[in-house]
Amino acid sequence: MKVETLERQAALSGAIAAAESQAEVLAALERAAHAFGFTYVTLMVKFNEDDEYMARLIIQSTLPADFVREFDRNRFLAKCPVLPTLFDTMLPQAWTLENLEREGVVPAQITQLLRRFSLFTTVVMPLHSLDGERFLLRFDGKRPPLRQSEVNEFAMISLHAFDVFEKIRRTHRIAIPSPLSMRELEVVRWTAQGKTSVEIGRILSLSDHTVNAHMTNAIKKLDCVNRTQLVAKAIRLGLIA
């Protein structure tokens, strides 16, 4: 391994280890992105089949807001065949816009948007939290295709950064009280177990109307659009196991 690679790893690992907040982890990852010749870094949670907007899945990102807005305005999340496959492996994956266009695996409207914002090369790392939730860390920008040694280095840095991020996140969960009431949490927990409103009502001795009211309140409090997203976000926030 070249001396400059070792020095880069040491510097980035030191910055990540010293992070004391999620924002500082993002800043360290942004520094890593620039060290690899990328422009943007994004940490996002895995989406469900009924998710339509990338913005709701992003935890931290330096992507241009205009790119995210246009991506969502055109409902590209459901039209991109590459994204669902990224969680089928534990290994980092990389591609170039040129390859996507040549192979024709992504709709032309999406590749045109990527080109307009100079997202010519991408590398992603699937990540898993201790509670089983899945995330994706990605670097985007305008640089030549990555060498295998760079992909390997990216994987090590990503795992280190996510480990620090998770420790901060778990500490944050303990420090902040739940925004949901005890009854709302009960309803969300049983919903996560696949129970219907009628079944939850029988378990909690409530009417299904009352159960639905608690569900609606929880959805509003966590800024979600449906029950599926509510359960996913409640798990991500550590409100339910």
Side-chain angles (χ1 to χ4, degrees):
M1 188 177 293
K2 295 181 179 180
V3 174
E4 57 265 29
T5 299
L6 291 172
E7 292 177 345
R8 177 171 63 187
Q9 284 186 355
L12 295 176
S13 294
I16 291 170
E20 297 182 351
S21 67
Q22 294 181 3
E24 289 181 1
V25 175
L26 179 66
L29 285 172
E30 188 172 11
R31 177 178 173 181
H34 294 160
F36 280 97
F38 288 102
T39 308
Y40 309 111
V41 59
T42 301
L43 178 64
M44 61 190 295
V45 68
K46 182 182 180 182
F47 58 90
N48 297 306
E49 292 183 358
D50 56 350
D51 284 325
E52 297 181 334
Y53 302 106
M54 178 191 290
R56 291 185 178 273
L57 305 175
I58 291 176
I59 299 174
Q60 300 279 359
S61 180
T62 60
L63 281 169
D66 288 343
F67 169 80
V68 177
R69 277 195 292 268
E70 186 160 346
F71 191 94
D72 286 347
R73 184 167 57 247
N74 289 281
R75 301 294 198 277
F76 282 157
L77 191 63
K79 300 175 183 177
C80 183
V82 173
L83 289 177
T85 68
L86 300 179
F87 297 91
D88 296 336
T89 178
M90 297 287 288
L91 301 176
Q93 302 172 68
W95 63 81
T96 65
L97 180 57
E98 182 180 356
N99 287 339
L100 294 179
E101 291 176 328
R102 182 172 60 250
E103 296 171 6
V105 296
V106 174
Q109 301 97 315
I110 296 180
T111 58
Q112 289 169 6
L113 180 63
L114 294 172
R115 182 173 294 279
R116 183 142 55 85
F117 283 88
S118 297
L119 307 184
F120 290 95
T121 303
T122 299
V123 59
V124 299
M125 181 70 191
L127 299 162
H128 297 73
S129 67
L130 293 176
D131 56 14
E133 193 172 9
R134 297 184 178 185
F135 298 83
L136 194 74
L137 178 65
R138 61 182 288 169
F139 290 173
D140 294 274
K142 186 177 182 179
R143 59 145 289 166
L146 279 80
R147 302 185 302 274
Q148 186 58 49
S149 61
E150 291 179 301
V151 174
N152 296 340
E153 188 181 352
F154 165 78
M156 289 189 292
I157 290 172
S158 298
L159 291 171
H160 183 197
F162 188 68
D163 180 60
V164 173
F165 179 87
E166 271 290 275
K167 289 177 180 177
I168 294 172
R169 192 167 71 121
R170 288 195 295 271
T171 301
H172 188 65
R173 285 174 177 174
I174 296 172
I176 296 181
S178 169
L180 304 183
S181 69
M182 290 303 297
R183 188 61 88 183
E184 289 164 353
L185 282 172
E186 288 179 318
V187 169
V188 176
R189 286 194 189 99
W190 284 113
T191 301
Q193 297 299 317
K195 302 297 184 181
T196 65
S197 294
V198 174
E199 291 171 329
I200 296 172
R202 291 171 182 166
I203 294 170
L204 301 179
S205 298
L206 300 172
S207 69
D208 57 334
H209 174 76
T210 301
V211 170
N212 288 331
H214 286 310
M215 185 67 65
T216 299
N217 288 337
I219 288 173
K220 289 180 179 178
K221 286 182 178 180
L222 295 189
D223 189 28
C224 297
V225 296
N226 54 42
R227 295 187 177 201
T228 301
Q229 188 181 35
L230 171 65
V231 169
K233 190 165 185 178
I235 293 174
R236 184 165 77 246
L237 294 175
L239 302 180
I240 61 175

